[in-house]
Amino acid sequence: MDNQVKASIIIPVYNAEDTVRRAIDSAVNQTTDEPYEVILIDDGVKDGSAAILDEYADRYAYVRVIHQDNQGITRTRENGIKISQGEFVFWVDSDDYADAHLLEKTLPLLESGADVVIYGTQYFCENGGRADNRIRKNISDAAYWKQQALNANLSTIWTYGTRRAFWEGETAPSEVARSAADGYMTIRIFDKAGVFRVLPDILYYHLVDSPFSIRHTFNGKRYLGNAFLWYYRLKCSEEQYSENTEACAARAMSGYIKAYAMDTVTHDLTEEDRKNIIKALQDLKRYSISGRIRDKLLCWAVLHNHLWLCRMYARHKNSKTKQMNKKMARD
């Protein structure tokens, strides 16, 4: 593989033996005539995924496999960037898949000067049904897309391709490494971009969450990542989009108090995490925040160390989550 590689498709893999062939097949069978590479990263898998990755590397010269100890998807993606050689980068999750024409349709726009190319997404269910799709507005204004990232209206990295140079040197903060890294990195990448292009074509297919997904697991770390991201959005918005600040402040406060409250039951935050939450909540007091009485009550409980109220909320939340997951599993 040399510096003539135009694009890198990076697929992090963790225990995905049932779906990873679909993801890899979509990457190796791209219709483009441009040279590209596929990077498969085994993030310490415990199932048969590793053997599947090696099988594809043996079969295709442009497929590379990295085996590593488990580091989580965020650090795995960062490792993928470090070894990638393409001028442009695209992401595919191991339970999703790309359209065969993804590179054929996006690379000409990137090669002609676009920094980011955004494309449509089809959501699907494992039983073969279609859940929904997302076609973005055909707007090329850079300020619009930067604000969309800050508003959380575009916060998944598999909905766009961009220059690898924008990813180089970027490391997501530890607070968002478990969840919310996509939103954080999208803000960072879009901030560097000047030229945006949008394709109305559906070029990516995303599996709708199962009840076992991290999205349906609630603990202190999960909420901390979400809160940190909204706090970051708040600080960015203060400089450029003041109309966003109230909503960002409210979401940040909600996330921080939930993180602190859930930790009274799950005990997964560090002492440094707890101190940072208190510091952030103290800072958020200077913003005009409207919203739920529950959130304001929990904020008061956290700041005044009334942990019994936090534990009551956490146990109630856990109970509701279990009921929701059971219902999703049945459906």
Side-chain angles (χ1 to χ4, degrees):
M1 201 70 65
D2 56 31
N3 58 11
Q4 296 302 309
V5 175
K6 280 296 178 183
S8 299
I9 299 177
I10 304 175
I11 308 178
V13 179
Y14 183 72
N15 295 353
E17 62 181 2
D18 292 335
T19 61
V20 72
R21 287 185 184 277
R22 178 175 61 200
I24 302 174
D25 284 340
S26 76
V28 299
N29 291 311
Q30 290 291 304
T31 58
T32 182
D33 292 326
E34 298 278 16
Y36 72 96
E37 65 177 354
V38 178
I39 297 176
L40 310 174
I41 308 180
D42 158 20
D43 186 28
V45 304
K46 299 177 181 178
D47 65 359
S49 300
I52 295 173
L53 306 191
D54 289 336
E55 174 191 325
Y56 278 88
D58 291 340
R59 192 188 311 170
Y60 299 95
Y62 53 94
V63 173
R64 288 193 284 158
V65 175
I66 305 298
H67 297 284
Q68 65 180 36
D69 291 336
N70 181 255
Q71 299 180 36
I73 190 169
T74 298
R75 301 304 173 219
T76 298
R77 285 169 170 169
E78 291 167 358
N79 292 340
I81 288 295
K82 291 175 184 176
I83 65 169
S84 63
Q85 298 177 1
E87 185 178 353
F88 308 106
V89 169
F90 297 81
W91 302 96
V92 175
D93 282 357
S94 60
D95 51 359
D96 298 343
Y97 63 98
D99 187 86
H101 303 291
L102 173 63
L103 297 185
E104 180 184 352
K105 292 187 176 182
T106 56
L107 285 180
L109 298 177
L110 289 164
E111 291 179 287
S112 64
D115 294 320
V116 175
V117 175
I118 301 165
Y119 37 83
T121 302
Q122 174 73 61
Y123 294 81
F124 70 96
C125 302
E126 198 59 86
N127 63 11
R130 293 185 178 184
D132 198 359
N133 63 48
R134 177 71 63 86
I135 304 294
R136 304 289 178 174
K137 294 181 179 179
N138 189 13
I139 297 174
S140 59
D141 179 56
Y144 172 83
W145 290 111
K146 293 172 192 283
Q147 188 168 19
Q148 289 295 293
L150 288 173
N151 287 342
N153 289 328
L154 197 159
S155 58
T156 47
I157 63 174
W158 33 258
T159 57
Y160 58 88
T162 189
R163 300 181 182 278
R164 177 167 60 88
F166 292 167
W167 289 94
E168 292 178 338
E170 289 289 347
T171 301
S174 60
E175 290 88 345
V176 298
R178 179 172 168 78
S179 67
D182 273 34
Y184 176 86
M185 292 308 304
T186 297
I187 294 170
R188 299 284 299 171
I189 298 305
F190 280 23
D191 186 57
K192 299 177 184 181
V195 180
F196 290 76
R197 296 290 299 274
V198 180
L199 285 171
D201 312 65
I202 291 176
L203 297 177
Y204 192 87
Y205 298 84
H206 176 64
L207 177 65
V208 175
D209 290 337
S210 77
F212 308 106
S213 167
I214 187 176
R215 292 177 180 270
H216 304 295
T217 303
F218 296 92
N219 53 32
K221 284 290 187 186
R222 167 88 192 282
Y223 278 119
L224 179 60
N226 183 267
F228 183 94
L229 176 56
W230 280 105
Y231 196 61
Y232 182 69
R233 285 175 171 142
L234 169 63
K235 297 306 178 181
C236 293
S237 294
E238 282 184 319
E239 300 174 4
Q240 306 172 54
Y241 306 101
S242 58
E243 65 272 23
N244 288 4
T245 56
E246 183 177 339
C248 289
R251 295 290 294 273
M253 183 187 79
S254 180
Y256 278 128
I257 59 177
K258 289 174 182 175
Y260 203 97
M262 293 303 296
D263 180 63
T264 62
V265 171
T266 59
H267 309 293
D268 59 320
L269 297 182
T270 66
E271 186 58 33
E272 188 66 22
D273 288 334
R274 298 184 194 98
K275 289 180 180 178
N276 288 337
I277 288 173
I278 297 296
K279 183 178 178 180
L281 289 175
Q282 292 285 7
D283 177 57
L284 287 166
K285 288 168 65 177
R286 63 191 178 91
Y287 295 90
S288 175
I289 299 177
S290 58
R292 296 179 177 177
I293 297 298
R294 180 204 64 192
D295 286 354
K296 293 183 178 181
L297 178 60
L298 278 174
C299 185
W300 173 86
V302 170
L303 293 176
H304 293 84
N305 203 35
H306 290 288
L307 300 186
W308 65 270
L309 193 56
C310 296
R311 282 190 290 269
M312 183 184 298
Y313 167 80
R315 288 167 181 154
H316 174 69
K317 182 67 176 178
N318 278 338
S319 177
K320 286 185 63 177
T321 301
K322 289 177 182 178
Q323 292 175 16
M324 177 189 72
N325 288 345
K326 286 181 180 178
K327 183 178 183 300
M328 289 185 67
R330 288 195 304 268
D331 295 344

